[in-house]
Amino acid sequence: MHEPASPTTSKLQYFNRDQGWIQVHERPCPFHSQTFLDTMQEMVLNPNYNTSWILRADILLDSRSDDISEELSCCSLLKEEERTYVLAPEFEMRGFVRSRTVVRRFIPRNPQRDKATNQTCLFFEERVEDRVLGNLKTLVVYIAHAASTEELPYYLPAVKGVAFLYEETPGPIEELESIQKISIHYLLFTPSTIESPGMTTRLERTALRLMDRIIKVGNGSIRGYEKKVHHDLVVPRERSQDTYLKLRVRHAKRLMDSWVEKTDPKKHVFEDILIAAFLIELWEDMYRSGKGEFPGFVDIGCGNGVLVDILLREGYKGYGFDARRRMTWKIFERETQECLSEKVLIPWVLGDEMIKAAALAEAEAEGIKQLRIAAEENLQLEGGIMAGIHDGRFQEGTFIISNHADELTGWTPLLAKASNSPFLIIPCCSHDLSGDKHRHKSTVIKTGAVENVDKLGTRIGTISSEYASLVEWTATIAQDVGYVVEREVMRIPSTRNIGLIGRKCGDGEMSVGEVLEREGGGVGWADKAFALRRMQLQKGHG
Ligand SMILES: C[S@@+](CC[C@H](N)C(=O)[O-])C[C@H]1O[C@@H](n2cnc3c(N)ncnc32)[C@H](O)[C@@H]1O
């Protein structure tokens, strides 16, 4: 554990004419300058990995030119008065040349509480003529677009500039190794004096945290660590996050204030807002700009119905059903309540006989005369749909949402195929097509029709975890019936966060019936689906 060192006079005072720099922290590092530069780039592009206060950084300008005045004059994203911060003549460093200028805009996680602000990040290389043989220096400087501490949001260090200096010097002759170190420096708004030192414990801690992060990312990259999680392959991050922020304002408080389940409202509400934002942006690409009318959605196994409620209130027509009604349904306005129903899904392919037998057995078990009559009467109807049962056929093209729908996960691509529907599946617990809990075998991922796989890199090969195997099993079923499966690591607070998206479908190598046969059929599904309802009734699941 490193403690922050007491601030000392900064070497930057030698490089920069501003005498206000102070050095806050210095640490040896095991990597070379290129790794330092790669790490700093990662830090500049993803400040959200350093602090949970920041949602992301939008890059307003990224220039490798040493004269950026022309680019600046064309950059409509920056206000006139902010351009001086980017040109930053007072941040010229003796012995260095500016090699890259990035202007980033911090988007706070809570825009109601914190404001967005801009910052310039300058990358410097040591001037060739100033290099001392065997020595190397690289410098990155962050410049606040603010004239005083008061103009800065809480989530940024209250300083005018932060500098990261990387230095490499030759080690002892016999070791043939160079010595590398990184130091962090602040330029205070008001130069430090004995009476008013300007440094605070908070500023020291921030420097320490930034240093920890640089060392961690740099060490990771020399160990050949590759970022395993690749988000935002299907919908750009900016779009889903901006929509999320808008939805959060409109829905989070009202849903949490009226929460009636025993479960944690925060988890459910924010997760469903995040999924809704993703869906809205996905649908924007699929259906807007003259690509056709939105066909409506169905949320199968919709649970508390929060996702259905948000989407309906955002103007998307659709409905949801679940084997068991939830208390939450009562908190919604009438329009939402009318779009939620208690139905057990028993796929039509399993045949009327299975449905009839299970429905009658259920009626006997529950002693509900009505259900028995309804079952018998409805079985005479064309399509075999009876009260309380959904046969899994939807209006053509309906977008199917299968979010943590447990037993319904593997069935979703088959149901989708039959209704010519696109889908989003976020698998959760592992079951087979009969509804039994089942750990799917590790499998080698096909590369064929699976989009994004090569971009994910690490996803080709043998899958070992139960969750990964479930995801691959579900994707394989979808591909077998002809879907091109896209993957998205959803930005939701759950470890079960892989989204499988099917919006393109061809003929497929197998029919729905063939896949069902290969997977052992759905023996006992109807009994288990009804039993599930009874079990959940007893458990009081949220
Ligand atoms: C883990 S919960 C998830 C609920 C909701 N989608 C969510 O993410 O909060 C799984 C849901 O699937 C429902 N379900 C499972 N099999 C079903 C079936 N055959 N018919 C209707 N609902 C079913 C269960 O009742 C349960 O509410």
Side-chain angles (χ1 to χ4, degrees):
M1 179 72 189
H2 292 263
E3 287 302 321
S6 314
T8 54
T9 309
S10 165
K11 287 167 238 175
L12 291 200
Q13 294 192 7
Y14 170 73
F15 302 127
N16 184 233
R17 62 176 184 202
D18 200 316
Q19 297 299 297
W21 286 98
I22 47 174
Q23 177 169 320
V24 206
H25 195 50
E26 180 174 276
R27 211 182 291 175
C29 73
F31 40 81
H32 291 282
S33 71
Q34 190 53 50
T35 305
F36 168 74
L37 279 173
D38 294 345
T39 301
M40 289 312 299
Q41 155 158 307
E42 164 81 17
M43 304 260 295
V44 167
L45 300 183
N46 296 300
N48 43 306
Y49 292 152
N50 303 339
T51 163
S52 58
W53 290 66
I54 298 171
L55 185 65
R56 63 166 199 270
D58 286 346
I59 302 303
L60 308 185
L61 180 115
D62 188 352
S63 166
R64 289 180 192 265
S65 159
D66 50 1
D67 179 9
I68 56 154
S69 28
E70 201 179 306
E71 282 180 52
L72 255 186
S73 57
C74 312
C75 178
S76 57
L77 298 166
L78 265 177
K79 287 194 202 127
E80 189 72 39
E81 61 269 27
E82 284 197 74
R83 298 196 178 159
T84 51
Y85 292 114
V86 188
L87 292 168
E90 73 277 29
F91 281 88
E92 259 156 40
M93 297 285 177
R94 224 181 348 232
F96 288 86
V97 276
R98 198 193 270 210
S99 57
R100 186 174 177 189
T101 306
V102 178
V103 182
R104 57 179 173 170
R105 181 165 188 75
F106 293 109
I107 308 296
R109 194 166 287 278
N110 186 347
Q112 275 75 54
R113 186 188 55 197
D114 308 308
K115 62 171 186 173
T117 189
N118 297 342
Q119 187 185 63
T120 294
C121 308
L122 304 177
F123 288 69
F124 292 95
E125 277 168 18
E126 208 177 3
R127 230 177 255 282
V128 181
E129 55 271 31
D130 285 314
R131 265 187 213 155
V132 176
L133 197 65
N135 288 5
L136 185 70
K137 289 187 192 70
T138 306
L139 183 64
V140 177
V141 180
Y142 296 169
I143 305 167
H145 287 206
S148 66
T149 323
E150 290 70 40
E151 285 180 26
L152 279 170
Y154 179 80
Y155 57 81
L156 286 187
V159 293
K160 200 164 157 189
V162 185
F164 304 86
L165 176 66
Y166 169 91
E167 295 169 281
E168 204 171 297
T169 45
I173 278 274
E174 63 284 6
E175 289 183 18
L176 294 172
E177 289 280 336
S178 55
I179 296 169
Q180 297 104 224
K181 60 184 177 194
I182 298 169
S183 48
I184 295 184
H185 313 249
Y186 285 146
L187 180 61
L188 301 175
F189 278 105
T190 319
S192 171
T193 58
I194 304 248
E195 302 77 52
S196 165
M199 270 301 291
T200 59
T201 321
R202 181 158 175 249
L203 277 175
E204 286 184 356
R205 279 214 205 96
T206 303
L208 195 63
R209 224 186 29 245
L210 287 168
M211 181 67 91
D212 284 345
R213 177 89 198 138
I214 298 172
I215 300 289
K216 189 169 167 209
V217 176
N219 278 343
S221 88
I222 53 170
R223 266 191 247 114
Y225 162 81
E226 264 191 58
K227 196 154 66 99
K228 289 201 184 62
V229 177
H230 294 249
H231 297 277
D232 318 310
L233 296 170
V234 177
V235 171
R237 171 166 77 157
E238 291 70 20
R239 280 175 43 202
S240 55
Q241 284 185 340
D242 289 348
T243 302
Y244 162 73
L245 292 178
K246 283 185 214 140
L247 297 188
R248 202 172 78 158
V249 174
R250 292 207 274 265
H251 304 289
K253 189 169 180 324
R254 79 171 170 87
L255 286 166
M256 291 207 292
D257 285 354
S258 52
W259 196 252
V260 286
E261 305 283 354
K262 293 194 190 90
T263 48
D264 180 9
K266 267 205 212 111
K267 184 191 174 303
H268 284 280
V269 170
F270 287 112
E271 189 161 311
D272 286 342
I273 294 177
L274 284 157
I275 296 170
F278 174 81
L279 281 170
I280 287 172
E281 289 306 317
L282 178 71
W283 293 342
E284 178 74 26
D285 289 343
M286 289 173 68
Y287 304 111
R288 292 283 155 87
S289 357
K291 287 187 197 156
E293 206 191 319
F294 179 62
F297 70 86
V298 57
D299 185 352
I300 60 174
C302 65
N304 55 39
V306 169
L307 183 56
V308 174
D309 180 59
I310 297 168
L311 292 171
L312 288 174
R313 291 174 75 124
E314 288 299 317
Y316 295 86
K317 62 178 182 187
Y319 63 100
F321 65 88
D322 198 286
R324 183 175 69 84
R325 99 176 14 257
R326 299 295 210 275
M327 285 191 291
T328 323
W329 294 6
K330 284 205 216 100
I331 69 168
F332 300 132
E333 58 185 8
R334 192 173 47 82
E335 286 79 358
T336 299
Q337 290 196 31
E338 283 170 1
C339 296
L340 291 168
S341 57
E342 189 176 55
K343 281 189 194 301
V344 175
L345 193 150
I346 303 180
W348 84 101
V349 267
L350 295 176
D352 279 356
E353 282 317 304
M354 180 194 273
I355 300 176
K356 184 179 177 185
L360 294 179
E362 176 69 5
E364 298 292 353
E366 288 193 9
I368 304 169
K369 207 167 149 220
Q370 247 81 12
L371 182 58
R372 191 187 171 96
I373 295 164
E376 281 173 346
E377 277 176 1
N378 279 302
L379 275 171
Q380 312 310 319
L381 297 176
E382 215 185 3
I385 304 170
M386 66 192 78
I389 293 181
H390 197 300
D391 79 347
R393 278 181 285 199
F394 309 102
Q395 198 168 349
E396 168 132 5
T398 305
F399 191 101
I400 303 179
I401 303 167
S402 172
N403 171 28
H404 291 179
D406 292 351
E407 292 84 351
L408 298 173
T409 302
W411 272 102
T412 308
L414 301 179
L415 306 177
K417 178 72 181 182
S419 299
N420 203 8
S421 285
F423 59 78
L424 166 67
I425 306 172
I426 308 175
C428 183
C429 299
S430 203
H431 293 82
D432 62 16
L433 294 186
S434 78
D436 276 337
K437 283 215 165 78
H438 181 81
R439 191 189 160 115
H440 297 281
K441 285 205 189 78
S442 300
T443 161
V444 174
I445 302 177
K446 293 185 195 171
T447 50
V450 185
E451 285 197 347
N452 305 338
V453 160
D454 50 353
K455 283 189 236 161
L456 285 169
T458 50
R459 303 192 57 75
I460 301 171
T462 306
I463 301 293
S464 54
S465 85
E466 179 169 336
Y467 183 60
S469 301
L470 167 68
V471 171
E472 291 320 312
W473 174 72
T474 312
T476 303
I477 291 180
Q479 284 156 231
D480 289 339
V481 295
Y483 281 95
V484 174
V485 179
E486 295 167 83
R487 289 140 200 279
E488 184 77 281
V489 181
M490 308 285 296
R491 292 181 175 276
I492 52 175
S494 166
T495 49
R496 313 285 164 109
N497 62 351
I498 306 288
L500 297 173
I501 297 111
R503 50 179 164 165
K504 292 176 223 155
C505 191
D507 285 342
E509 287 168 20
M510 299 174 89
S511 68
V512 168
E514 284 166 343
V515 173
L516 182 60
E517 199 182 318
R518 183 192 68 197
E519 296 297 327
V523 184
W525 170 272
D527 291 333
K528 276 170 253 172
F530 277 120
L532 169 98
R533 191 170 72 163
R534 254 180 277 130
M535 198 175 70
Q536 286 190 335
L537 276 171
Q538 288 151 15
K539 248 200 315 187
H541 214 284

Tab-separated table of all heavy atoms in Angstrom, residues 34 46 63 169 189 318 347 375 420:
chain	number	residue	atom	x	y	z
A	34	GLN	N	5.903	3.314	-24.217
A	34	GLN	CA	4.749	3.046	-25.075
A	34	GLN	C	3.569	2.527	-24.235
A	34	GLN	O	2.419	2.903	-24.457
A	34	GLN	CB	5.123	2.042	-26.188
A	34	GLN	CG	4.039	1.895	-27.256
A	34	GLN	CD	3.601	3.247	-27.851
A	34	GLN	OE1	4.423	4.055	-28.254
A	34	GLN	NE2	2.295	3.512	-27.870
A	46	ASN	N	-11.568	6.514	-21.071
A	46	ASN	CA	-12.501	5.837	-20.158
A	46	ASN	C	-12.357	6.298	-18.705
A	46	ASN	O	-12.026	5.500	-17.830
A	46	ASN	CB	-12.275	4.317	-20.222
A	46	ASN	CG	-12.602	3.771	-21.573
A	46	ASN	OD1	-13.729	3.889	-22.041
A	46	ASN	ND2	-11.613	3.166	-22.221
A	63	SER	N	-6.770	15.396	-32.011
A	63	SER	CA	-5.913	15.845	-33.112
A	63	SER	C	-4.453	15.501	-32.834
A	63	SER	O	-3.969	15.653	-31.720
A	63	SER	CB	-6.069	17.357	-33.254
A	63	SER	OG	-5.039	17.831	-34.066
A	169	THR	N	15.468	6.245	-17.071
A	169	THR	CA	16.904	6.565	-16.988
A	169	THR	C	17.689	5.255	-16.932
A	169	THR	O	17.149	4.231	-16.485
A	169	THR	CB	17.223	7.370	-15.700
A	169	THR	OG1	16.543	6.733	-14.613
A	169	THR	CG2	16.774	8.800	-15.787
A	189	PHE	N	-4.874	26.439	-8.680
A	189	PHE	CA	-5.423	27.705	-9.163
A	189	PHE	C	-4.726	28.875	-8.476
A	189	PHE	O	-4.422	29.883	-9.091
A	189	PHE	CB	-6.935	27.765	-8.897
A	189	PHE	CG	-7.726	27.030	-9.945
A	189	PHE	CD1	-8.291	25.794	-9.672
A	189	PHE	CD2	-7.904	27.562	-11.221
A	189	PHE	CE1	-9.018	25.109	-10.632
A	189	PHE	CE2	-8.637	26.884	-12.192
A	189	PHE	CZ	-9.185	25.662	-11.889
A	318	GLY	N	-47.166	-2.829	-26.990
A	318	GLY	CA	-46.746	-4.188	-26.688
A	318	GLY	C	-47.435	-4.697	-25.442
A	318	GLY	O	-48.323	-4.044	-24.887
A	347	PRO	N	-45.784	-24.063	-25.486
A	347	PRO	CA	-45.626	-23.893	-26.930
A	347	PRO	C	-46.535	-24.843	-27.717
A	347	PRO	O	-46.671	-26.020	-27.368
A	347	PRO	CB	-44.154	-24.229	-27.161
A	347	PRO	CG	-43.503	-24.025	-25.828
A	347	PRO	CD	-44.518	-24.385	-24.818
A	375	ALA	N	-60.902	-24.559	-19.731
A	375	ALA	CA	-59.980	-25.415	-20.463
A	375	ALA	C	-60.735	-26.267	-21.477
A	375	ALA	O	-60.381	-26.325	-22.652
A	375	ALA	CB	-59.226	-26.315	-19.485
A	420	ASN	N	-41.796	-15.364	-37.125
A	420	ASN	CA	-40.974	-14.479	-37.950
A	420	ASN	C	-40.594	-13.218	-37.152
A	420	ASN	O	-40.719	-12.103	-37.639
A	420	ASN	CB	-41.775	-14.106	-39.208
A	420	ASN	CG	-40.866	-13.688	-40.321
A	420	ASN	OD1	-39.633	-13.821	-40.206
A	420	ASN	ND2	-41.430	-13.166	-41.381
